[in-house]
């Protein structure tokens, strides 16, 4: 039976077992779907409706702001968990090479998604290609997590402690990067340090979320069954609430203790530790609820495992990068009213869900059927060329010889050479 015709509750399900921490895939599915609607609304909702006085817009902005922190934190959790589950030192750990390759691959994909191929044909190179986005930072996060594991292996100590130290340190030094200019660096590198050039994300502070996720990954690699208890999600919830409600005061106290002049920048715009608290709260809710729901529809976990595919597809379709034409160009940047935007976002999200539901069929068509068809047509053209081209060439030459009898005499030998008739 075609699964596309089944309601969600009747779709094939993923059993909840302790060999795979399913809540991570569900959390990633939630985050990627929120990203889809968030990017759609942010790109197309008209400026006149973006008011802080609107409760709906404020709620949407808050939820949208959760997406990137969740992605970076889950990246650190998953990669560190898998790296440590291998059990071998870094030199013999297959996850190290795989992580480094994956990190470089994501950096390359981040740049590739911004390329306007028709523009390149006409010699146009947009500076926007150099801007840093989510994929660049996730790629760097994998490399940075391996580096921290290497430092811990070299110097000793608890990996969780190292991850938390790097996470806190990355957050605390954020004002150093935001309050200074980086014009002295080449543009391609400056994008990783400042948003002034048009980048959406920078290494600092966003790598910090991955480090905190790495600390959680370390804990679950030691005792993965903790994810299925009551107390561990409750502890994570307590950390989240503490950071949400108390991080501002903690930063103020730290400033009074140290007098470090960058700290007022942090507590006057306390979004990093505040957002981290929200991430911990969301993770604790998913961690506690998912094992108690029962079986999870496979489509949901499938969406969570295909985040890169969804991200790449939505980027090209919404922003029109590869072809220069996308939804934002056809509809008009920030031109829609709220109701039209809500309906459009729902359709946009639904289309990507159906895309992932049938991703195997699409991949089979793209990676197997199309290459097979091209190969077959190429072989048929070779056969046709060998069988029919000599005869066709003779016919063409005969016709031209007849026509050239009244034409300049120097053209006739040329036709004979092209036809292969060097001798009468």
């Amino acid at each position: 039976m075609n699964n596309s015709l089944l309601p969600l509750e009747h779709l094939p399900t993923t059993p909840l077992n302790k060999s795979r921490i399913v809540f991570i895939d569900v959390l990633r599915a939630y985050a990627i779907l929120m990203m889809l609607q968030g990017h759609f609304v942010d790109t197309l909702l008209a400026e006149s409706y973006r008011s802080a006085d609107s409760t709906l817009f404020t709620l949407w902005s808050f939820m949208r702001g959760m997406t990137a922190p969740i992605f970076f934190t889950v990246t650190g959790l998953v990669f560190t968990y898998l790296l440590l589950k291998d059990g071998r030192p870094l030199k013999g750990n297959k996850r190290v090479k795989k992580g480094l390759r994956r990190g470089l691959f994501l950096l390359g994909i981040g740049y590739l998604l911004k390329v306007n191929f028709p523009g390149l044909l006409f010699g146009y190179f947009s500076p926007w290609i150099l801007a840093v986005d989510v994929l660049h930072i996730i790629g760097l996060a994998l490399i940075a997590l391996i580096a921290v594991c290497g430092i811990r292996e070299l110097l000793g100590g608890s990996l969780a402690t190292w991850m938390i130290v790097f996470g806190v340190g990355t957050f605390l030094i954020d004002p150093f990067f935001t309050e200074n200019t980086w014009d002295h660096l080449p543009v391609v590198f400056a994008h990783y340090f400042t948003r002034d050039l048009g980048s959406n994300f920078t290494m600092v502070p966003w790598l910090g979320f991955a480090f905190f996720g790495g600390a959680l990954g370390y804990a679950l690699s030691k005792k993965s069954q903790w994810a299925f208890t009551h107390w561990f999600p409750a502890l994570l919830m307590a950390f989240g609430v503490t950071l949400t409600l108390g991080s501002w005061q903690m930063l103020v106290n730290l400033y009074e203790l140290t007098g470090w002049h960058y700290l007022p920048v942090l507590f006057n715009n306390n979004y990093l530790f505040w957002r981290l608290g929200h991430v911990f709260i969301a993770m604790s809710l998913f961690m506690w609820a998912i094992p108690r729901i029962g079986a999870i529809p496979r489509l949901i976990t499938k969406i969570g495992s295909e985040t890169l595919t969804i991200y790449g597809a939505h980027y090209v379709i919404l922003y029109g990068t590869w072809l220069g034409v996308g939804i934002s160009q056809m509809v008009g940047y920030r031109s829609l009213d709220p109701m039209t935007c809500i309906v459009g976002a729902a359709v946009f999200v639904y289309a990507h869900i159906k895309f992932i539901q049938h991703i195997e069929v699409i991949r089979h068509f793209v990676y197997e059927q199309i290459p097979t068809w091209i190969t077959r047509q190429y072989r048929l053209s070779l056969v046709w060329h060998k069988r029919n081209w000599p005869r066709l060439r003779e016919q063409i030459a005969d016709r031209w010889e007849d026509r050239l009898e009244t034409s300049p005499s120097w053209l006739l030998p040329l036709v004979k050479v092209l036809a292969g008739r060097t001798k009468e």
Side-chain angles (χ1 to χ4, degrees):
M1 183 179 292
N2 187 345
N3 287 340
S4 64
L5 301 179
L6 295 175
L8 189 63
E9 61 269 21
H10 298 305
L11 286 174
T13 56
T14 298
L16 293 172
N17 56 67
K18 298 187 180 183
S19 63
R20 181 174 180 86
I21 305 177
V22 180
F23 89 89
I24 295 175
D25 284 334
V26 179
L27 184 59
R28 288 198 294 190
Y30 163 79
I32 196 69
L33 295 180
M34 290 300 99
M35 181 212 69
L36 290 176
Q37 64 84 18
H39 284 183
F40 187 94
V41 174
D42 182 61
T43 303
L44 298 176
L45 181 65
E47 294 284 358
S48 57
Y49 299 104
R50 298 167 181 267
S51 172
D53 297 329
S54 170
T55 303
L56 183 61
F57 180 77
T58 302
L59 178 61
W60 171 83
S61 298
F62 173 81
M63 297 303 295
R64 178 175 180 262
M66 290 282 291
T67 305
I70 287 176
F71 266 123
F72 293 131
T73 307
V74 170
T75 295
L77 190 161
V78 173
F79 182 74
T80 305
Y81 175 82
L82 294 176
L83 182 70
L84 297 179
K85 289 298 284 185
D86 183 275
R88 290 174 288 184
L90 293 185
K91 286 186 178 180
N93 195 321
K94 64 179 181 179
R95 286 284 172 181
V96 172
K97 290 184 178 180
K98 187 175 181 180
L100 293 174
R101 286 197 301 266
R102 184 70 168 178
L104 295 175
F105 172 76
L106 290 174
L107 284 170
I109 291 295
Y111 288 115
L112 180 62
L113 286 176
K114 295 177 180 292
V115 174
N116 184 325
F117 291 105
L120 289 181
L121 293 177
F122 292 97
Y124 173 71
F125 182 85
S126 173
W128 185 57
I129 293 177
L130 301 178
V132 173
D133 220 318
V134 171
L135 293 186
H136 301 82
I137 302 303
I138 291 179
L140 286 178
L142 300 183
I143 299 172
L145 289 166
I146 293 173
V148 174
C149 290
I151 292 173
R152 176 256 187 176
E153 198 170 277
L154 181 66
L155 300 180
S158 168
L159 181 60
T161 302
W162 279 107
M163 289 290 183
I164 293 172
V165 167
F166 272 89
V168 172
T170 304
F171 281 4
L172 291 179
I173 63 174
D174 179 49
F176 173 77
F177 291 88
T178 58
E179 298 297 306
N180 292 289
T181 60
W182 300 90
D183 299 338
H184 58 285
L185 292 179
V187 175
V188 65
F189 297 118
H191 273 289
Y192 287 92
F193 295 94
T194 178
R195 295 179 61 187
D196 294 342
L197 301 175
S199 293
N200 292 320
F201 297 92
T202 51
M203 291 191 301
V204 177
W206 294 102
L207 288 181
F209 288 99
F211 292 135
F212 284 110
L216 286 175
Y218 169 80
L220 292 179
S221 72
K222 295 300 181 182
K223 298 286 184 179
S224 58
Q225 63 268 28
W226 285 354
F228 302 89
T229 64
H230 292 284
W231 69 266
F232 191 76
L235 182 63
L236 198 58
M237 171 71 77
F239 279 131
V241 172
T242 300
L243 285 173
T244 300
L245 300 179
S247 56
W248 180 85
Q249 188 61 53
M250 287 188 288
L251 290 171
V252 171
N253 294 342
L254 185 61
Y255 173 67
E256 293 174 348
L257 179 66
T258 64
W260 192 40
H261 64 283
Y262 280 130
L263 284 171
V265 179
L266 282 174
F267 64 68
N268 286 329
N269 184 23
N270 179 33
Y271 74 97
L272 292 174
F273 291 100
W274 186 67
R275 278 296 185 193
L276 181 64
H278 298 154
V279 172
F280 284 165
I281 291 172
M283 292 183 72
S284 67
L285 292 174
F286 277 85
M287 186 185 297
W288 181 85
I290 296 304
R292 291 158 181 83
I293 289 176
I296 300 297
R298 288 182 186 174
L299 178 58
I300 295 177
T301 56
K302 191 175 181 181
I303 291 170
S305 64
E306 294 283 355
T307 53
L308 178 59
T309 303
I310 296 173
Y311 184 89
H314 106 281
Y315 205 93
V316 174
I317 294 170
L318 182 60
Y319 301 117
T321 51
W322 283 355
L323 301 178
V325 178
I327 294 176
S328 59
Q329 288 83 13
M330 291 186 290
V331 174
Y333 181 69
R334 294 191 173 177
S335 61
L336 298 182
D337 62 87
M339 185 54 65
T340 305
C341 206
I342 291 172
V343 173
V347 173
F348 189 65
V349 172
Y350 178 75
H352 282 81
I353 292 174
K354 299 302 289 184
F355 168 60
I356 294 302
Q357 185 176 0
H358 301 287
I359 190 66
E360 285 84 7
V361 176
I362 296 171
R363 283 180 173 146
H364 177 73
F365 178 76
V366 172
Y367 296 120
E368 295 186 29
Q369 291 187 347
I370 291 181
T372 300
W373 182 85
I374 292 175
T375 302
R376 184 171 182 273
Q377 297 306 311
Y378 172 72
R379 290 175 178 173
L380 289 175
S381 66
L382 290 179
V383 172
W384 179 90
H385 183 271
K386 291 180 179 179
R387 291 180 178 178
N388 300 319
W389 173 243
R391 177 172 53 83
L392 182 61
R393 187 174 60 181
E394 287 285 340
Q395 293 174 357
I396 294 173
D398 289 338
R399 293 176 183 176
W400 273 98
E401 286 181 10
D402 293 339
R403 293 183 181 181
L404 291 174
E405 288 180 355
T406 57
S407 300
S409 59
W410 60 269
L411 286 175
L412 188 58
L414 179 60
V415 172
K416 290 183 177 181
V417 170
L418 295 175
R421 297 178 179 178
T422 56
K423 296 181 180 180
E424 288 291 345

